[in-house]
Amino acid sequence: MVTVHPLSNGVWVVLDEMPAVRSVSFGVWVKNGSAWESPKENGISHFLEHMMFQGTKLRTAKQIAEESDDLGGQVNAYTTKEYTVFHTRVLDQQLSQAVDLLADMVLGSVFEQSRIKKEFQVISEEMKSALSDA
C-alpha cells in the first residue's frame, strides 16, 4: 500500500510497503535538470550530480565509496531533463545509514578545486563518448 506524507518543509515522503521484501529503496528527487538550464549552464546539473560523490564536510570521496560498499546495496544517482535523483537500495536494517549517507551528500557536499577539474574531465569524456556513439 502506497502512502504519501507531505512535510511542512515542502518535502514529500512516499512509502510503498511490501512486507515480503527485506530491502528498502530510498531516493531524493531534486528539481534540477537540463530543462531548467540556460544554454550557458548546459550540463551543470549532471556535473553537480557527479560532484555530490566527491566529498562532503563529513566524508571524503573515498569514505563515501567505502560506506556505500559497506552497505552492501547500491548508492547511485542520475540526471534527467527535469530531475537529478540520488537513490539507494539496501537491506531494511541499514536504512538509517543509507539515509545518513545520502543526506550528507545532498546537503553537505563540498566543491574542492582539484575535484572540480577532475569531474569536468570525466564529464567531457562522457560527452565525447556519447557523441561518437550517436
Side-chain angles (χ1 to χ4, degrees):
M1 179 172 113
V2 176
T3 57
V4 179
H5 305 275
L7 304 179
S8 61
N9 63 0
V11 172
W12 290 52
V13 177
V14 180
L15 302 172
D16 185 3
E17 187 174 349
M18 298 183 295
V21 178
R22 292 280 322 271
S23 65
V24 176
S25 295
F26 172 80
V28 177
W29 278 252
V30 180
K31 192 173 183 179
N32 182 43
S34 59
W36 314 110
E37 298 171 354
S38 70
K40 185 178 178 181
E41 298 167 327
N42 192 263
I44 193 72
S45 299
H46 185 210
F47 175 76
L48 291 172
E49 170 209 321
H50 277 241
M51 288 303 299
M52 299 300 179
F53 288 85
Q54 297 305 310
T56 71
K57 295 173 189 168
L58 302 176
R59 294 171 172 94
T60 64
K62 183 179 179 190
Q63 288 171 318
I64 290 170
E66 287 172 347
E67 285 187 44
S68 176
D69 288 346
D70 289 347
L71 289 170
Q74 178 186 64
V75 177
N76 211 337
Y78 60 90
T79 300
T80 69
K81 288 185 179 187
E82 296 186 358
Y83 295 96
T84 299
V85 180
F86 302 90
H87 58 95
T88 184
R89 183 176 51 230
V90 295
L91 290 175
D92 55 358
Q93 69 232 23
Q94 295 167 317
L95 177 61
S96 64
Q97 295 107 303
V99 170
D100 182 66
L101 178 59
L102 277 187
D104 187 34
M105 291 168 60
V106 172
L107 300 173
S109 286
V110 294
F111 300 89
E112 296 176 5
Q113 191 65 37
S114 62
R115 293 286 184 175
I116 290 171
K117 289 179 182 178
K118 177 184 174 234
E119 285 309 310
F120 183 80
Q121 290 297 83
V122 168
I123 291 173
S124 294
E125 291 301 317
E126 284 181 3
M127 290 173 65
K128 286 177 190 173
S129 177
L131 290 173
S132 69
D133 289 345

